[in-house]
Amino acid sequence: MTKQGVDPATRTLELLWERIAAPTRGPKPTLTLDEIVGAAIEIADRDGLGDLSMRRVAEALGFTTMSLYRYLPGKEELVELMRDKAVGRPPAHRRDASWRAALQRWARADLEVHLKHPWLLEVEIRRPPFGPNHLAWLDAGLAAIEPLSLDPLVMLNTVLAVDSYVRGAARIRVGTSAEQRRSRATRQELARLYAGIFEQIVTDERYPALAKIVTAGVFDPAEKPIDEFEFGLDRVLDGVAAFVEP
Amino acid sequence: MTKQGVDPATRTLELLWERIAAPTRGPKPTLTLDEIVGAAIEIADRDGLGDLSMRRVAEALGFTTMSLYRYLPGKEELVELMRDKAVGRPPAHRRDASWRAALQRWARADLEVHLKHPWLLEVEIRRPPFGPNHLAWLDAGLAAIEPLSLDPLVMLNTVLAVDSYVRGAARIRVGTSAEQRRSRATRQELARLYAGIFEQIVTDERYPALAKIVTAGVFDPAEKPIDEFEFGLDRVLDGVAAFVEP
DNA sequence: CATGACTGTGTATACTGTACGCAGATTCGT
DNA sequence: ACGAATCTGCGTACAGTATACACAGTCATG
């Protein structure tokens, strides 16, 4: 598993699709790529991507750091494999559901994956989704709106738009829930803290429009009758609906 | 600038709003916080967040690494300051524009910021936007839809939804354009490469819905008549329109 | 003018990813 | 059956990271 002359992206592709021929000579490997990736995901889920190190992964498996490099060219490729394994398979498609219900289900599942693996959003996207699971998600999203029989290019961009929204919204949700864990405060306590900060900082002169929102008590932890994700998702789906049913 | 007992988030807040009283005794500082943050942004813009190190920032300024710690408690706070400085001020509000035109302008400017500073999307969000510039953006977004006189909570969530979409979409755009720079290939060349990979991997049995898209030539670099960002943005804005004008 | 406070620096520590070489194990060709 | 080839896992080494701490020089204030 040397780095050779191939570029990292192509190497990752080969690993994702297990294109490396298993050697016949020499001792059989004790570990598997999947075990390594799984251990790495556990660490990242628990302590974040920042605390993920080759040493920690190796220790979790009871091996030395360098042994991992027999399975992977480097950390970059490990993270890419983690990404595809972590997203897993998309929810099964229900043929009887409406396009809207199906796309909504898909979007919610997408959010859930990101809440389960918050570090997913910290990884820079370098290429289109070429991993088996990522492709399955894309396929599922397309299948959801297939009954609409849209132009293929429009189909793809519709799914991409929904996905963009979900990941953008997930980024906010993930951040706040991570901060909750870190600070060991409840949602209410944090909301109260934030409300206090807003009230201190946001003045009518500096931020007139925002000030109205703040004084209206939007950040007041007492009232919280809206699920931000669902609100936005409904708007996006409305937008799709308006496009296909003018 | 010791770390003291205060938590990092609060310390960041104090730095963002320059709440630290300048000391009277002792030599005057040679550097300013703003210079440090500016140098750091330049490095991150050029080489990415991964190549940003305290040493490189210090070297760029002609100082030693440790001197930076007289101005900042640590790297985490530096990145947070970089975030707020990088987003800058939002575009000025045009009072005569329709809410849709204003919100569209705002969203496009939001995208532009992220294309200019791609690393913005790699930073984990820990708290609501408390930086002066971030608050100004939020204020501008709210101002854009103020004529609609919506419920304050709905207003906030509408802006958040648009912002979520923009950042999600930006993440894709940023990734691909960064890969372009890295691989020193043109957009067309990369598109051709990707199309080839899709054709190899995406089979009708594994990914039936996606296969139809691929064979329809959607990834064909020859035709590219859609701006993905604008398409999705139009859907989102349509969704908002459907909500406010049923 | 001495005191106390502050700035910038040099050193030190505990990490990080990973290149390289080696010992032992396994399989192939003869 | 036996040598050669080849592969695994390990140990060492190196350059890079953030940052804690002590110290020398500098400046404003009592």
Side-chain angles (χ1 to χ4, degrees):
Chain A
M1 193 48 49
T2 48
K3 288 228 169 179
Q4 295 184 353
V6 200
D7 71 306
T10 310
R11 246 178 297 143
T12 305
L13 199 64
E14 287 166 358
L15 289 168
L16 278 167
W17 290 93
E18 293 164 343
R19 288 253 184 83
I20 321 104
T24 62
R25 299 264 259 252
K28 293 274 164 285
T30 324
L31 287 166
T32 63
L33 228 170
D34 207 58
E35 283 177 295
I36 296 175
V37 175
I41 289 176
E42 269 184 47
I43 292 170
D45 284 351
R46 194 150 10 94
D47 304 321
L49 209 58
D51 279 13
L52 179 78
S53 72
M54 299 303 268
R55 200 211 289 213
R56 280 202 63 186
V57 176
E59 269 172 5
L61 294 163
F63 280 72
T64 59
T65 310
M66 287 315 292
S67 66
L68 303 184
Y69 287 86
R70 292 280 164 206
Y71 299 83
L72 291 156
K75 193 184 186 184
E76 190 179 328
E77 289 84 356
L78 172 61
V79 174
E80 213 52 39
L81 293 176
M82 287 168 64
R83 277 219 311 151
D84 198 67
K85 185 177 165 78
V87 298
R89 306 307 286 193
H93 182 52
R94 291 194 193 138
R95 206 169 297 273
D96 56 328
S98 70
W99 72 263
R100 182 162 181 144
L103 199 53
Q104 191 178 49
R105 222 165 84 83
W106 182 82
R108 287 173 178 164
D110 198 8
L111 171 69
E112 219 150 295
V113 163
H114 286 93
L115 291 179
K116 220 174 200 166
H117 309 289
W119 47 270
L120 279 174
L121 292 162
E122 288 174 66
V123 185
E124 197 196 354
I125 298 177
R126 304 171 93 89
R127 287 194 164 199
F130 288 138
N133 286 334
H134 273 100
L135 288 179
W137 274 89
L138 181 53
D139 186 70
L142 292 167
I145 55 169
E146 209 154 44
L148 292 174
S149 55
L150 298 166
D151 171 79
L153 187 58
V154 170
M155 267 185 86
L156 176 65
N157 278 283
T158 301
V159 173
L160 281 184
V162 175
D163 185 53
S164 290
Y165 166 72
V166 172
R167 288 158 112 117
R171 192 147 172 272
I172 300 175
R173 275 272 280 262
V174 159
T176 59
S177 71
E179 180 68 10
Q180 253 175 267
R181 233 178 305 139
R182 255 192 302 272
S183 64
R184 268 177 288 277
T186 66
R187 192 181 184 75
Q188 280 252 332
E189 286 170 342
L190 274 187
R192 213 186 321 272
L193 172 67
Y194 295 160
I197 295 174
F198 271 122
E199 275 165 32
Q200 255 194 300
I201 290 177
V202 176
T203 66
D204 195 51
E205 309 90 58
R206 276 197 291 238
Y207 309 113
L210 180 54
K212 278 181 208 154
I213 304 290
V214 172
T215 54
V218 167
F219 296 103
D220 192 329
E223 44 177 313
K224 201 70 183 179
I226 255 190
D227 182 328
E228 299 96 337
F229 175 78
E230 290 292 331
F231 177 85
L233 181 57
D234 282 341
R235 299 293 75 71
V236 175
L237 294 178
D238 281 355
V240 176
F243 185 72
V244 300
E245 312 151 352
Chain B
M1 193 48 48
T2 49
K3 286 226 169 182
Q4 294 185 355
V6 201
D7 71 307
T10 310
R11 245 177 298 143
T12 305
L13 199 63
E14 288 166 356
L15 289 168
L16 278 167
W17 290 93
E18 294 165 342
R19 288 254 185 83
I20 320 103
T24 60
R25 300 265 258 256
K28 294 273 164 282
T30 324
L31 288 166
T32 63
L33 231 171
D34 208 59
E35 283 176 296
I36 296 175
V37 175
I41 290 176
E42 268 183 49
I43 293 170
D45 284 350
R46 192 147 13 93
D47 303 322
L49 208 59
D51 280 12
L52 178 78
S53 73
M54 299 301 270
R55 201 211 288 214
R56 281 203 60 186
V57 176
E59 270 172 5
L61 294 163
F63 280 73
T64 60
T65 310
M66 288 314 293
S67 67
L68 303 184
Y69 287 86
R70 292 278 163 209
Y71 300 82
L72 290 157
K75 192 184 186 181
E76 190 179 327
E77 290 82 358
L78 172 60
V79 174
E80 213 53 39
L81 293 176
M82 287 168 64
R83 278 221 306 150
D84 199 66
K85 186 178 166 77
V87 297
R89 306 307 286 193
H93 181 52
R94 290 194 193 140
R95 206 171 295 274
D96 55 330
S98 70
W99 70 265
R100 182 162 182 146
L103 199 51
Q104 190 179 48
R105 220 166 85 84
W106 182 83
R108 286 173 179 165
D110 198 7
L111 171 69
E112 219 150 294
V113 165
H114 286 93
L115 291 179
K116 220 175 198 166
H117 310 289
W119 47 269
L120 279 174
L121 292 162
E122 288 174 64
V123 184
E124 197 196 355
I125 298 178
R126 304 170 91 93
R127 290 196 163 196
F130 287 139
N133 286 335
H134 273 100
L135 287 179
W137 275 88
L138 181 53
D139 187 69
L142 291 167
I145 55 170
E146 209 155 42
L148 292 174
S149 55
L150 298 165
D151 171 80
L153 187 57
V154 170
M155 267 184 85
L156 176 64
N157 278 282
T158 302
V159 174
L160 282 184
V162 175
D163 184 53
S164 290
Y165 165 72
V166 172
R167 288 158 112 117
R171 193 147 169 272
I172 300 175
R173 274 271 281 262
V174 160
T176 58
S177 72
E179 180 69 11
Q180 251 175 266
R181 233 178 304 139
R182 255 192 303 273
S183 64
R184 267 178 287 276
T186 66
R187 192 184 185 75
Q188 279 251 335
E189 285 170 341
L190 273 188
R192 215 188 319 273
L193 173 67
Y194 296 160
I197 295 174
F198 271 122
E199 276 165 32
Q200 254 193 302
I201 289 177
V202 176
T203 65
D204 195 51
E205 308 93 57
R206 277 199 291 238
Y207 309 112
L210 181 54
K212 278 179 210 155
I213 304 290
V214 172
T215 54
V218 166
F219 297 102
D220 193 329
E223 41 178 315
K224 201 69 183 178
I226 255 190
D227 182 329
E228 301 95 337
F229 175 78
E230 289 292 331
F231 176 85
L233 181 58
D234 282 341
R235 299 292 77 69
V236 175
L237 294 178
D238 281 355
V240 175
F243 185 74
V244 299
E245 312 151 351

